[in-house]
Amino acid sequence: MVRLPGRAGTRSTRRFGGQRLQPAPGPARRARERAERSRAAGGWFARLRAAMRGRSVAGQVFVLQVVVVLLLVVAAVVALVLQVQHDSTQEARNRSLAVAETFANAPGTSAALTGPNPTAVLQPQAEAARKAAHVDFIVVMNTAGIRYTHPVPGRIGQKFVGAIEPALHGRPVVEEVNGTIGRLVQAVVPVRAPDGRVVGLVAAGITTHNAGGLADRQLPVVLGAAAVGVALATAGTALVSRRLLRQTHGLGPGEMTRMYEHHDAVLHSVREGVIIVGGEGRLLLANDEAHRLLGLPADAEGRGVLDLGLDQGTAELLASGRIATDEVRLVGDRLLAVNQRPTDLEGGPSGSVATLRDSTELRALSGRAEVARERLSLLYDAGVGVGTTLDVTRTAQELVRVAVPRFADFVTVDLYDAVLRGEEPGQGGPMRRTASGGIREDAPLYPVGAQIRFVASSPQAHGLSTRRPVLEPRLEAAPGWLAQDVERAGRVVRYGIHSLITVPVRAGAVVLGLVDFWRSEKDEPFDAEELALAEELVARAAVSIDNARRYTREHGMAVTLQRSLLPRSLPEQGALDIAYRYLPAQAGVGGDWFDVLPLSGARVALVVGDVVGHGLHAAATMGRLRTAVHNFSSLDLPPDELLGLLDEMVDRIDQDETADGTAAPVIGATCLYAIYDPVSRRCVMARAGHPPPAVIAPDGAVTFADVPAGPPLGLGGLPFETAELELAEGSRLVLYTDGLVEDRARDIDVGLEELRGALSSAGESPEETCRAVLDSRLPLRPGDDIALLVARTRALHADRVTEWEVPADPAAVADVRASVNRRLARWGLEEAAFTTELILSELVTNAIRYGSAPIRVRMLRDTALICEVFDSSSTSPHLRYAASTDEGGRGLFLVAQLADRWGTRYTPTGKVIWAEQSLS
């Protein structure tokens, strides 16, 4: 019954503000009108209206009231009978279980069962308890189900009829059966000895008829109330009809019917608790179900929701009027699902309507739901926490950390050695214990690093052969597992580990290894559901392990390629003392590189470059660029021209690979090229998008060379500019890649200042400088390659350099030979005099004959004896084979045979032809 406070008669068709109540406009109103028209078009209601068409509104209201009262009576009777049946059954279950447990736990019951004559002791007690508890029987039996007591003595000694197997395992069982005395509910509970053993059973039963009987007492009251209601309805019809005639003002039967249907649908058709709260927070309406669920007082309507004694959270929710969907609230001992919506969305009155649904049965499922939630949480954490790196061993350790102790007490991961090397494993070989962990450190399992070969009978071998997980619920009863290592298996069982799940680590059709889950703390063994969970857990980890294996293989190939492309030793030269460091990135091999290239005239070229990206493509691109720099440097080009050629080459690489469509273009490359001349102590350098070099003066002052920043290689169309520095002897030139001064968390300007500080406190030698820089600057796990090259300058002093001006006269060659002999004698190189005279004679003769003045000769004594002839001509000599009839053409051939190296380089005023002889 729904209570409408303050309404003794017909509900007014006007709101509190005096406006006439109309259905809210919109789709909902149109749907209601269509439904009303369809109901009016046919069915029993149409026939009833046709029969009553000549009656007054009061008469129709009377008939409708009688029908409604009768329907309510029928519904109440049916609901009462169903409720009483349910209550009777529930009461029977509760009473039988309580009586059985009370008698089973009574003092002396356990002792009597183990005594010589249980019936003599327990039969009187059972009958007395049966009568006191108002149940139909109390039966005590042994574990085989043979009765020791029964209300009918003739049935003592016979087998009990009912389910006793769960009780034998320590769990009470309640069941409904059709017995000789009618429909009854019986409960069977175990009787435990002091040591916990089940020594007997106690059963108690009661018929549902004896537990109920409430319907017989309540049905007359309901029928009497119905008769009184019909009488009151009949007596009040006259009063109602007179008032209706005054208040309806000619309201037609159809309109009255629609109003009643709307009222009835809202207030009587719902099967859940309904609460209507006004805009001021007062309770306007609450049906009986809402009263029952919330425990509302009888005078709740009209009072504030916050004053009804509800718990604070539920009261605030109902008073707030906010939208709520299946919001679960604990009210007393019930879990209520609350749905709440405002009533003024389409012009209705202010306030809110809430429905309440009893969800107490969710408590019975809460345990299983919590287990499912924990398992989903475990799988989520495995997806997030396993595979954070591309390292096979660390991925296995992450799997162990996720599974212990949430799923297993101990977890071990065994992988093939080939997997650890990044290779695809073959089947049947031994495995390596890669990771192990547990709740304690002293478990007698194989240690990490041990090589294991599983015997054919072991569950691990069976799992590998079938590629399916294997469950061993009881290890002490698993002969196949015990055969693996009898002595160790015995120690494992004595340690307390009693259950095992072994799961192959599969990546497609390839088995990478095994994961073993061991249980020791819980007495229950692993079950089938946990087997499925373990398989899912390992399947997720297997993807990460296989990715790490593939990365290990690619990383090894890239490292091998990169090491083969980088310089393995520095060339011999006397212009610079050099130290270097190369550190690959932890995330993968990159494209940083460096080189030291001896040039003619005792000069040395220093080059540092960086290819953007990591992996094989970056390493291969780096090798191509390094080879190109080697080739271009042999032309003795200035730094800006060399970078221009390198830029054109990268542009061609991009065009070729873009057209081919099978390879990625060079997305970015930088380079710094510097040439140091120990004679003039001048250094000429140019850079293509590379960080500027640092210069450490002999007094320790650190500056960054102001070298124009050209565009990165491959952009094309822009020239490169050079910068020339004069370096004092003992200065240190520091070349590096951007991985040393820049990363995601640090701007390059900050990195350069930190590098300046590290260089200012470094030692004097290049080795000390490299060590100091890396000790102070290197992060624990660099995200990019780092190449560092430190060169301390030397100067070729005047006593090791000599030069002469040569007239453009062939007779001057004799004077040159004489001067050479005197200089070589002063240097103690008399044995090289003949070869040097011959080389210089040919070079000077060539310059006089084919070049132009001025002509100059220079000799340098460094790690090699260097002879250079300068002239102002730009024509380049070429080596050729002279015919037997030719008078000339053999000079350069002789020079090439006598010198270790020879060549031509161009200067702003001409060219230089040079030749080197080893002094060793």
Side-chain angles (χ1 to χ4, degrees), residues 702 704 751-762 772-773 776-777:
V702 180
F704 288 98
L752 291 175
E753 288 303 316
E754 293 178 356
L755 176 61
R756 185 197 302 271
L759 293 175
S760 62
S761 60
V773 169
S776 63
R777 297 285 302 113

Side-chain angles (χ1 to χ4, degrees), residues 6 115 140 171 341 425 502 555 601 753 823 887 890 913:
V140 183
R171 300 190 303 274
R341 295 292 185 274
T502 180
H555 184 266
E753 288 303 316
R823 175 55 65 175
E887 295 184 0
R890 297 175 179 82
I913 304 176

Side-chain angles (χ1 to χ4, degrees), residues 290-505:
H291 273 265
R292 185 184 69 84
L293 294 177
L294 296 177
L296 298 176
D299 59 345
E301 286 81 358
R303 295 169 56 183
V305 175
L306 299 177
D307 301 330
L308 296 178
L310 302 175
D311 67 278
Q312 184 177 0
T314 304
E316 290 178 353
L317 171 62
L318 297 176
S320 67
R322 65 177 174 84
I323 294 178
T325 302
D326 288 335
E327 187 169 322
V328 179
R329 291 286 178 177
L330 179 61
V331 179
D333 58 348
R334 294 185 179 93
L335 288 174
L336 302 183
V338 182
N339 289 274
Q340 182 166 270
R341 295 292 185 274
T343 58
D344 57 355
L345 293 179
E346 295 183 349
S350 62
S352 62
V353 58
T355 60
L356 312 173
R357 185 175 66 254
D358 192 353
S359 302
T360 309
E361 64 273 10
L362 294 177
R363 283 187 173 183
L365 302 175
S366 61
R368 296 181 61 184
E370 180 64 20
V371 172
R373 187 195 66 79
E374 291 179 356
R375 291 180 176 178
L376 288 175
S377 176
L378 176 64
L379 292 177
Y380 172 79
D381 291 342
V384 174
V386 178
T388 60
T389 66
L390 291 174
D391 182 83
V392 175
T393 301
R394 185 167 179 181
T395 302
Q397 293 170 349
E398 290 171 344
L399 172 59
V400 171
R401 284 196 295 270
V402 168
V404 176
R406 298 169 61 182
F407 179 70
D409 299 320
F410 300 91
V411 178
T412 57
V413 181
D414 305 322
L415 300 176
Y416 289 107
D417 286 336
V419 175
L420 300 176
R421 297 191 302 267
E423 303 171 3
E424 188 168 310
Q427 304 305 313
M431 291 188 178
R432 183 79 58 183
R433 178 136 298 176
T434 307
S436 177
I439 57 177
R440 294 184 297 274
E441 300 293 335
D442 57 345
L445 301 171
Y446 287 111
V448 174
Q451 192 177 55
I452 308 171
R453 186 181 294 273
F454 296 104
V455 299
S457 63
S458 65
Q460 289 87 349
H462 181 66
L464 290 174
S465 62
T466 61
R467 300 186 178 185
R468 299 293 301 168
V470 177
L471 169 63
E472 285 291 353
R474 297 293 179 187
L475 291 177
E476 67 274 9
W481 175 76
L482 295 172
Q484 172 67 34
D485 188 336
V486 178
E487 189 274 333
R488 185 181 295 273
R491 287 193 286 132
V492 169
V493 172
R494 289 191 299 272
Y495 186 78
I497 298 177
H498 59 82
S499 189
L500 164 69
I501 292 178
T502 180
V503 185
V505 181

Side-chain angles (χ1 to χ4, degrees), residues 37 182 203 219 265 287 420 448 452 626 645 673 704:
R37 287 195 296 271
L219 189 59
N287 63 359
L420 300 176
V448 174
I452 308 171
R626 179 170 178 257
L645 294 176
Y673 189 81
F704 288 98

Side-chain angles (χ1 to χ4, degrees), residues 32 47 87 117 144 213 301 348 495 655 658 704 868 876 888 914:
R32 287 195 297 270
R47 291 193 297 272
D87 292 344
N117 190 357
E301 286 81 358
Y495 186 78
Q655 293 176 4
T658 302
F704 288 98
E868 298 177 330
S876 177
W914 56 270

Side-chain angles (χ1 to χ4, degrees), residues 10-15 19-22 247 251 259:
T10 305
R11 182 179 178 182
S12 173
T13 61
R14 296 185 179 274
R15 296 187 191 173
Q19 297 179 355
R20 185 177 181 86
L21 180 65
Q22 295 290 343
Q247 293 187 351
L251 188 64
M259 289 182 60

